[in-house]
């Protein structure tokens, strides 16, 4: 029997070791003090990680060589390694498969547009919400990601943009969307801490603007209300997918616990408290949720409950393997948009990126075996280059 490559060893699942990005400034200083080092070393490490986007101890020449390894081991353990990158859209979309220390796989997607660059990050390995049209939902939940595992996806994307790894040359990461694997609000504290770390200025964080961060949820009502009280300016996206409880009970099973009306009330509360317009996500599925009457009902409900404080993002369904569901045809999409707009509600169709590399909305399933098959077929070694 031939030995399997390292990446396919049986995983031991567990949360990763403590990392700088899990901690706020005081906590980082306390760890450094425990090591018998002056507090400013915490800020030095923070600047390497958050400002220079570096995890390479050799580059940290302002730390005395004798202490560097201890400091790095205590605060910058390696969290995940990129197993492979897949690119499409002429090299402006790149999906990365990550393998964590315990063997868990996750994925993130970096997308470059003319005016911005967005990374779509995972908040959990797998997902427990079981939405039947979503590839991640089919696999179930493996575990929560740590705060640092979330932040590190953003750090890596920011470094990739800076280093010109996507077509178009060097650029700047501007946006983060929590629309990868997982339900962010089911990993609440770690996700909120990650948002703070992503948006605080260096040496405490990556310094992105809160308004360019979007947290997407199936509609966990108490968590939406809690998020509203955090004093953050992030955009809330709510995956509604249909305005009626009967169908939503099957499309988004958590609807059996929190109904459409409660989800919209919590969304209204979020908009009122933060002053931010809420996004409503709606994957258009042929003959399932794309009927004109549903567009009318959606428009009426949203106009009544949220008025100008809402924007509907229609996403043509990305079919997932084994599902008989398909995207709505273009005329149905257009009629749907027109009807929602006629009700006085802002509504656009989202440009879908990454379809060919299974990196589009709801397609993330962290399938390293696809890579194995591909490598066997070509006989080439795994490549991180697109
Ligand atoms: N759990 C969160 C975030 C992850 S998914 C949530 O549900 O909001 C991000 C978005 O992609 C959600 O709106 C989700 O419903 C949508 N999505 C999932 N599968 C999809 C698919 N196959 N086609 C189009 N959108 C999909």
């Amino acid at each position: 029997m031939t030995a399997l490559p390292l990446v396919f060893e049986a995983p031991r699942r567990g949360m990763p070791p403590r990392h700088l990005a899990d901690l706020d400034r005081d906590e980082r200083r306390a760890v450094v003090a425990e090591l018998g080092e002056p507090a400013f070393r915490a800020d030095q490490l923070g600047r390497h990680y958050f400002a220079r986007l570096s995890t390479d101890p050799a580059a940290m020449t302002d730390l005395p060589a004798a202490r560097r390894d201890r400091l790095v081991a205590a605060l910058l353990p390696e969290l995940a390694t990129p197993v492979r990158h897949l690119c499409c859209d002429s090299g402006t979309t790149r999906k990365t498969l990550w393998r964590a220390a315990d063997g868990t796989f996750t994925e993130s997607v970096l997308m470059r547009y003319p005016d911005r660059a967005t990374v779509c990050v995972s908040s959990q390995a797998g997902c427990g919400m079981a939405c039947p049209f979503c590839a991640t939902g089919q696999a179930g939940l493996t575990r929560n990601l740590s705060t640092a595992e979330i932040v590190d996806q953003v750090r890596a994307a920011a470094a990739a943009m800076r280093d010109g790894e996507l077509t178009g040359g060097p650029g700047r990461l501007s946006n983060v969307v929590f629309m990868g694997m997982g339900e962010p609000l089911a990993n609440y504290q770690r996700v909120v801490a990650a948002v703070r770390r992503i948006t605080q200025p260096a040496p405490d964080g990556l310094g992105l603007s809160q308004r360019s961060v979007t947290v997407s949820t199936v509609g966990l009502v108490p968590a939406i209300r809690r998020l509203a009280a955090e004093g953050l300016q992030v955009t809330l996206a709510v995956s509604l997918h249909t305005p009626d409880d009967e169908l939503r009970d099957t499309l988004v099973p958590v609807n059996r616990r929190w109904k459409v009306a409660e989800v919209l009330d919590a969304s209204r509360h979020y908009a009122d408290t933060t002053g931010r317009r809420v996004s409503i996500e709606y994957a258009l599925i042929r003959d399932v949720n794309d009927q004109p009457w549903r567009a009318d009902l959606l428009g009426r409900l949203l106009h009544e409950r949220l008025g100008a404080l809402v924007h509907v993002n229609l996403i043509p369904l990305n079919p997932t393997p084994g599902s008989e569901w398909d995207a709505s045809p273009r005329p149905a999409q257009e009629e749907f948009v027109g009807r929602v707009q006629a009700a006085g509600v802002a509504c656009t169709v989202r440009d879908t990126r990454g379809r060919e590399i299974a990196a589009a909305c709801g397609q993330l399933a962290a399938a390293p075996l696809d890579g194995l098959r591909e490598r066997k077929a070509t006989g080439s070694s795994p490549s991180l280059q697109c």
Side-chain angles (χ1 to χ4, degrees), residues 192-278:
V192 168
V195 169
R196 295 197 192 283
R197 235 36 40 85
I198 291 164
T199 56
Q200 282 160 339
D204 301 319
L206 291 164
L208 273 75
S209 120
Q210 288 183 6
R211 291 169 174 244
S212 51
V213 175
T214 299
V215 174
S216 182
T217 178
V218 288
L220 305 184
V221 164
I224 293 176
R225 293 184 177 275
R226 194 172 163 197
L227 187 65
E230 297 283 352
L232 293 167
Q233 282 285 297
V234 300
T235 301
L236 177 73
V238 174
S239 299
L240 199 66
H241 302 312
T242 188
D244 57 300
D245 285 316
E246 194 184 349
L247 178 59
R248 196 166 191 270
D249 282 350
T250 61
L251 288 183
V252 185
V254 79
N255 195 69
R256 293 174 207 155
R257 178 73 182 78
W258 292 290
K259 299 292 173 198
V260 170
E262 295 171 89
V263 171
L264 295 183
D265 280 352
S267 303
R268 172 77 204 213
H269 174 73
Y270 188 87
D272 284 340
T273 311
T274 61
R276 306 284 298 150
R277 210 153 73 144
V278 171

Side-chain angles (χ1 to χ4, degrees), residues 15 21-22 145-152 189-191 193-194 197:
M15 292 303 276
D22 288 314
L145 298 189
S146 69
T147 296
E149 285 178 312
I150 298 167
V151 174
D152 204 49
Q189 274 166 317
R190 296 183 190 91
V191 164
R197 235 36 40 85

Side-chain angles (χ1 to χ4, degrees), residues 127 129 131 133-135 178-184 216-219 237-241 252 281-284 315-320 350 360-363:
C127 186
M129 297 298 127
C131 302
F133 54 89
C134 173
F178 282 79
M179 294 189 183
M181 305 175 88
E183 166 52 40
S216 182
T217 178
V218 288
V238 174
S239 299
L240 199 66
H241 302 312
V252 185
E281 309 293 296
Y282 197 113
L284 277 173
I315 318 160
L317 182 84
N318 291 302
T320 58
R350 182 187 292 166
C361 303
Q363 291 185 314

Side-chain angles (χ1 to χ4, degrees), residues 13-16 100 102 104 124-126 141-146 149:
R13 309 256 180 241
M15 292 303 276
D102 69 344
T104 302
Q124 299 180 310
L141 178 65
T142 302
R143 70 164 168 86
N144 283 320
L145 298 189
S146 69
E149 285 178 312

